Amino acid sequence: MKFYKGRLKFVIPLSVIVGVSAGYMLFNFHQDVPSLHKFLIILGASALAAIISYFLFPQEGDNPDDVGPYR
């Protein structure tokens, strides 16, 4: 599988949005969670969102038979 740099324009902003929203929810609604656990949850949520979105967003040339919206 080839690494596509074009997908990063979706992956990076999405993982930042997930990290910020996870931090907001943890720091405002779950004060009893220890700080280290909050950090690990935010890091895991951002990483999981990045991995999933990298594979789900299509890139031109992934499927030669597909005539998707990237023309």
Side-chain angles (χ1 to χ4, degrees):
M1 184 170 152
K2 187 177 173 186
F3 179 75
Y4 293 104
K5 290 183 184 178
R7 290 183 183 178
L8 294 181
K9 65 182 175 183
F10 295 111
V11 171
I12 293 172
L14 186 65
S15 62
V16 168
I17 290 170
V18 167
V20 168
S21 61
Y24 175 78
M25 285 190 261
L26 282 171
F27 284 103
N28 287 329
F29 303 121
H30 303 286
Q31 292 88 9
D32 53 339
V33 177
S35 295
L36 177 64
H37 293 167
K38 288 180 186 178
F39 174 73
L40 292 175
I41 291 170
I42 293 168
L43 188 68
S46 296
L48 186 64
I51 291 169
I52 289 173
S53 64
Y54 179 80
F55 290 110
L56 287 181
F57 282 114
Q59 180 71 24
E60 185 175 358
D62 280 349
N63 187 0
D65 300 330
D66 189 14
V67 289
Y70 20 75
R71 283 188 184 229

